[in-house]
Amino acid sequence: KWITSTELVGEEPVGDEPAYVYSFESQMPNGGAKYRSRMWIGRKNGLPLKVVTDYDSGEIDTMTILYDYATPLAIEAPQTNQ
């Protein structure tokens, strides 16, 4: 069990998107670093918009992830030498 607690903190927009903010505490497997995270979930679509994680130890103090669903993405197959 990695996540030890979850709580709805409130509401806060990410850019123009209204979002619910949740907080949770967890620990990496096998006794790894403990951390606290806040996650913004879009009210309109239920998708994650942002995550901020604060670590108690290790090389990373804080990590922020912003999710982008609006930017078009194209994946092309690599060219082959034939």
Side-chain angles (χ1 to χ4, degrees):
K1 180 177 174 181
W2 291 6
I3 296 176
T4 57
S5 66
T6 304
E7 177 183 2
L8 174 61
V9 177
E11 297 183 32
E12 182 181 317
V14 177
D16 295 339
E17 292 292 324
Y20 297 110
V21 183
Y22 292 88
S23 69
F24 58 92
E25 295 181 3
S26 190
Q27 183 172 3
M28 298 299 288
N30 301 320
K34 292 182 181 180
Y35 58 91
R36 289 166 309 286
S37 295
R38 292 173 313 282
M39 179 178 282
W40 286 254
I41 303 293
R43 288 179 51 192
K44 294 178 184 176
N45 57 18
L47 295 173
L49 301 175
K50 178 179 175 180
V51 177
V52 176
T53 302
D54 298 310
Y55 295 92
D56 288 348
S57 62
E59 295 181 18
I60 300 173
D61 292 327
T62 301
M63 176 177 63
T64 301
I65 300 171
L66 295 172
Y67 295 88
D68 178 3
Y69 301 102
T71 302
L73 174 67
I75 300 173
E76 299 177 11
Q79 294 183 6
T80 59
N81 297 335
Q82 292 185 8

